[in-house]
Amino acid sequence: MAKKRHKQTPSDLPGFFYQRNGRYWWKAQLPGDDKPEARPLKPVGAKYATTDLYVAAEVAKNLYQEHIYATATDIPLGQAETLASLAAAYLHFCKQYYLDADGKTTKEAQEIGYSLKPLTELFANRGVNEFGPLRLIEVRDRMIHDRDWSRTLINHRIGRIKRMFKWAVSRQMVSPIVYQGLLTVEGLKRGRTTARENPKRKPVDDKYVYAILPYTTPVVATMVELQLLTGMRPGEMVLIRPCDIDRSNEAVWHYTPEKHKNAYRNIERIVSIGPRGQELLTPYLLRP
């Protein structure tokens, strides 16, 4: 297959374009690459690379910005020019901000990444101040029709996109007018959108829970029943230590987890444990 180098590569892109069987490819060494790599310039949804130079240039620009989004670490104040670079800067911030008590990145940073993906797929190369309510609605439509996400999930993820622009305004990366415009896009309402609804999930009947306890280990059975009695989260359950339980009141014990999900809000978490819960816990508290 003959390759033909093309000199009309856009000046703001590294590397060069060339044609293979009449279709455009782009060879460049992008940030993080060990060596130059050839990439077919296929428009979204297309099976093959494009034969149109101008389309090729747009595809390459989007690929470049998506690559920056995936590999960038930090961007100085006021220097996020495209939505891809803004998203990369925000994700870098989130991975440092959303940390648990052990200093590990929480799931919220991952959820933000999922939320921003449709945005960068559609508008990676757009300037940050070119994004407005209609563009946000386009992103939301992609979530509805291409992703088939539920209405509530879409509302949460559109909210995260708005939150990114709020953060960007505080860092002087985006005009406040842009963020104010995005706030006018209301959340999807039940019965007034084509986005699907999630079926209501009801709790399992207690009789089925207790039916499986004889088939578990004694420790797991204790943990399951204690959760039913107290409403503890699994993470709080596995952290119980004798020193965390106030047993001064014989009628009701009070367990204060060392770590819990709202600790960063300076909220104290107290779990009350009644007689049956005390009966379950006592054998473990009396161990050496």
Side-chain angles (χ1 to χ4, degrees):
M1 290 182 290
K3 297 181 182 178
K4 180 181 177 183
R5 180 161 178 164
H6 206 292
K7 296 182 180 179
Q8 297 183 39
T9 306
S11 59
D12 55 343
L13 291 174
F16 60 88
F17 290 175
Y18 66 89
Q19 287 180 292
R20 177 184 292 178
N21 292 336
R23 298 185 180 278
Y24 283 99
W25 286 60
W26 177 36
K27 189 166 187 177
Q29 183 171 352
L30 303 184
D33 289 348
D34 295 328
K35 60 183 179 180
E37 185 177 328
R39 297 169 172 84
L41 296 176
K42 295 190 295 185
V44 175
K47 187 175 182 180
Y48 302 106
T50 181
T51 58
D52 188 308
L53 176 61
Y54 296 101
V55 173
E58 288 303 311
V59 173
K61 288 178 181 177
N62 282 328
L63 287 175
Y64 187 46
Q65 293 302 331
E66 287 177 8
H67 187 87
I68 291 174
Y69 166 69
T71 59
T73 54
D74 201 4
I75 295 176
L77 292 181
Q79 293 187 20
E81 297 180 354
T82 64
L83 288 171
S85 58
L86 174 61
Y90 186 54
L91 272 180
H92 178 66
F93 163 77
C94 291
K95 289 175 182 177
Q96 296 177 321
Y97 181 76
Y98 291 103
L99 303 176
D100 61 18
D102 296 323
K104 297 179 180 177
T105 304
T106 67
K107 290 184 178 180
E108 178 61 18
Q110 187 179 49
E111 280 294 326
I112 290 170
Y114 293 148
S115 303
L116 298 180
K117 188 65 176 174
L119 171 71
T120 55
E121 288 176 350
L122 285 172
F123 304 115
N125 204 45
R126 292 275 183 177
V128 292
N129 288 315
E130 296 176 29
F131 194 74
L134 292 179
R135 295 284 186 246
L136 184 60
I137 291 172
E138 284 187 58
V139 173
R140 190 175 67 185
D141 287 343
R142 189 178 186 90
M143 294 178 179
I144 295 173
H145 302 298
D146 293 356
R147 294 291 200 276
D148 192 31
W149 290 342
S150 69
R151 178 183 62 86
T152 52
L153 179 61
I154 290 170
N155 283 341
H156 286 311
R157 292 189 168 170
I158 289 296
R160 289 185 175 98
I161 292 175
K162 292 178 181 177
R163 198 192 311 161
M164 177 183 74
F165 279 89
K166 179 181 179 180
W167 171 85
V169 169
S170 72
R171 267 63 175 182
Q172 299 181 1
M173 294 179 176
V174 175
S175 167
I177 297 174
V178 175
Y179 174 60
Q180 292 299 321
L182 298 182
L183 292 181
T184 63
V185 179
E186 297 181 344
L188 298 174
K189 295 179 174 59
R190 180 186 290 272
R192 297 188 178 182
T193 173
T194 57
R196 64 179 176 83
E197 294 289 341
N198 276 332
K200 290 186 177 180
R201 293 182 175 86
K202 298 180 180 180
V204 177
D205 193 295
D206 284 2
K207 67 180 181 181
Y208 297 114
V209 177
Y210 281 99
I212 61 95
L213 296 187
Y215 302 95
T216 68
T217 65
V219 173
V220 171
T222 298
M223 293 172 73
V224 170
E225 188 174 357
L226 193 57
Q227 273 197 276
L228 284 173
L229 293 169
T230 63
M232 262 189 278
R233 302 183 183 95
E236 297 168 343
M237 175 73 65
V238 299
L239 292 176
I240 293 179
R241 302 176 303 176
C243 63
D244 297 325
I245 302 177
D246 179 2
R247 289 175 276 177
S248 58
N249 184 336
E250 293 184 3
V252 181
W253 292 353
H254 293 102
Y255 164 47
T256 305
E258 181 187 21
K259 304 172 185 176
H260 61 91
K261 66 180 293 183
N262 286 311
Y264 75 97
R265 292 188 172 126
N266 201 29
I267 296 175
E268 187 178 24
R269 168 76 166 148
I270 299 176
V271 179
S272 298
I273 304 173
R276 174 56 182 162
Q278 295 172 20
E279 182 183 342
L280 292 167
L281 268 180
T282 297
Y284 301 96
L285 299 176
L286 298 179
R287 293 182 300 176

